[in-house]
Amino acid sequence: MAINRRTTLGVLALSIGMAFGAAPAWAQNTTIKISHQFPGGTIDKGDFRDRLVRMFAAEVEKRTKGSVKFEIYPGSSLMKTNAQFSAMRKGALDMSLVPLSYAGGEVPETNIGLMPGLVTSYEQSAAWKNAAVGKELTRILADKGVVMVSWIWQAGGMASRGKPIVEPEDAKGMKIRGGSREMDLILKEAGAAVVTLPSNEIYAGMQTGAMDAALTSSTSLISFRLEEVSKALTTGRGKSYWFMLEPLMMSKAAFDRLSKEQQAVILQVGAEMEAFALKEAKEDDEDVAKVFAKAGAKTVDLSEATVKKWQDIARRTAWKDFAAKNANTAKLLQLAEQVK
């Protein structure tokens, strides 16, 4: 058999590779764009979600020897908040840290990420990732073109321009932002009128009186300076019926363009970020009460009995509505209820 020059060079390259050990496939350089709606800061200061993105980017770049670089766009500076999930699905955006439930209009299954009363503690939320519900949600998102990179959960509270809204009856006649379709359903059941907008638009809504109160994460309550337009806060520390899944996600199209080694680093570093997120979220649950109290707002914590009242409303309204959407939503809810 004739051996040409190309074959000889190929054999030589293979021999060299075997002699020195196969090197990781860092050869393909790529720049990944990450978008989020939260205020920008630095790797050391600011909203922990922005810090997490910067820490993630720095560590991935380091471990991939610079073959994967990042451009970070905070404050919805790259695209509008509600456009991010759809853009990831289409491959028009590489990555985003965004509340999963914001995609509920497009992918009903994602509303499991802000289902009132379904998750009531960080211990319970942390168990989702490796439980059947987490694996099923990961599968569904992958089918929709999105890869889960970091599982981030946050408890939330309610800022109010007037009286604190604690019990369901306190919501009657109020204009309230819930944060998801399902959260809106329990507010409506309690007699409130719901307002729908992303968290980065709450300040303006409360300032103008377009809404009386808003549920959002402790971190957003701080970062968006809602103490400036509020007189009361119902905190999420200790107990809450508002727990949001706000993951760092990646477009499957962008993920699939990476080498296997680069993909492994993305997922490994993403998983490592989860401990930081948990610590920071818990700290913000405490800090937000201090921030509001310092501004002269009345702060109230929820009791177990009060959380149960909201949970009972959720079971007969939001949970029932979600389960009836399709086979996936019914299965997700069933699996989620198994995680205690």
Side-chain angles (χ1 to χ4, degrees):
M1 181 181 72
I3 300 177
N4 60 28
R5 181 172 177 272
R6 183 176 295 178
T7 303
T8 304
L9 289 173
V11 171
L12 179 61
L14 179 63
S15 300
I16 293 171
M18 291 175 66
F20 290 96
W26 303 137
Q28 55 185 88
N29 294 331
T30 188
T31 299
I32 293 172
K33 293 182 178 180
I34 308 181
S35 170
H36 68 74
Q37 75 204 59
F38 311 108
T42 67
I43 204 165
D44 299 314
K45 292 182 179 180
D47 187 302
F48 88 78
R49 295 163 297 196
D50 179 72
R51 292 176 58 207
L52 183 146
V53 166
R54 295 177 191 281
M55 291 166 64
F56 167 83
E59 191 60 26
V60 171
E61 184 171 341
K62 175 183 172 184
R63 294 191 197 181
T64 60
K65 313 298 184 189
S67 68
V68 180
K69 296 183 182 296
F70 296 85
E71 292 176 0
I72 298 166
Y73 297 85
S76 300
S77 56
L78 182 63
M79 62 179 61
K80 291 184 178 179
T81 303
N82 288 331
Q84 294 173 122
F85 187 85
S86 182
M88 279 193 292
R89 289 190 65 196
K90 297 170 184 173
L93 173 64
D94 300 324
M95 295 188 76
S96 181
L97 194 160
V98 62
L100 190 63
S101 61
Y102 283 16
E106 183 178 351
V107 180
E109 294 89 342
T110 60
N111 271 328
I112 194 82
L114 185 51
M115 186 66 58
L118 187 58
V119 172
T120 57
S121 72
Y122 284 107
E123 291 71 27
Q124 187 182 5
S125 68
W128 269 43
K129 180 179 179 178
N130 296 315
V133 64
K135 292 173 183 175
E136 179 66 5
L137 183 56
T138 298
R139 180 195 68 77
I140 291 168
L141 288 171
D143 285 348
K144 301 296 183 182
V146 175
V147 176
M148 290 286 273
V149 176
S150 292
W151 288 71
I152 302 165
W153 286 89
Q154 292 184 267
M158 184 158 348
S160 172
R161 297 174 75 234
K163 67 178 182 180
I165 298 172
V166 183
E167 306 294 336
E169 52 266 32
D170 295 334
K172 190 172 183 179
M174 306 286 276
K175 294 174 290 186
I176 305 175
R177 184 263 188 188
S180 73
R181 169 186 165 80
E182 280 66 26
M183 198 61 67
D184 288 348
L185 285 174
I186 69 165
L187 291 169
K188 286 178 183 176
E189 183 70 10
V194 300
V195 180
T196 304
L197 42 71
S199 60
N200 56 314
E201 296 177 19
I202 292 174
Y203 188 103
M206 293 199 39
Q207 188 179 42
T208 60
M211 72 177 80
D212 300 309
L215 277 159
T216 191
S217 67
S218 298
T219 309
S220 288
L221 286 164
I222 297 169
S223 290
F224 296 123
R225 309 188 320 279
L226 297 184
E227 77 281 358
E228 295 177 4
V229 290
S230 305
K231 291 184 178 177
L233 171 71
T234 304
T235 80
R237 61 182 174 182
K239 300 182 186 304
S240 182
Y241 55 88
W242 196 101
F243 264 85
M244 172 178 272
L245 176 55
E246 200 163 28
L248 178 61
M249 295 175 283
M250 187 169 192
S251 163
K252 192 170 185 300
F255 187 78
D256 288 346
R257 286 197 296 269
L258 302 176
S259 69
K260 295 296 183 185
E261 290 82 1
Q262 290 168 332
Q263 290 175 350
V265 171
I266 291 277
L267 295 178
Q268 182 181 14
V269 175
E272 290 171 8
M273 293 293 107
E274 291 163 4
F276 169 77
L278 176 61
K279 171 179 169 289
E280 294 295 319
K282 285 184 172 181
E283 287 182 3
D284 283 350
D285 290 343
E286 297 293 335
D287 289 346
V288 68
K290 298 172 187 173
V291 169
F292 273 69
K294 186 177 180 181
K298 181 178 182 180
T299 61
V300 182
D301 296 328
L302 292 170
S303 68
E304 189 170 340
T306 299
V307 169
K308 188 176 185 306
K309 286 181 187 177
W310 286 103
Q311 195 174 45
D312 289 343
I313 294 173
R315 284 181 186 278
R316 67 175 186 264
T317 58
W319 295 17
K320 185 178 178 180
D321 178 83
F322 179 77
K325 290 290 181 188
N326 59 49
N328 280 341
T329 57
K331 184 177 181 180
L332 277 173
L333 184 64
Q334 182 184 33
L335 294 175
E337 287 189 79
Q338 295 172 9
V339 182
K340 304 299 182 184

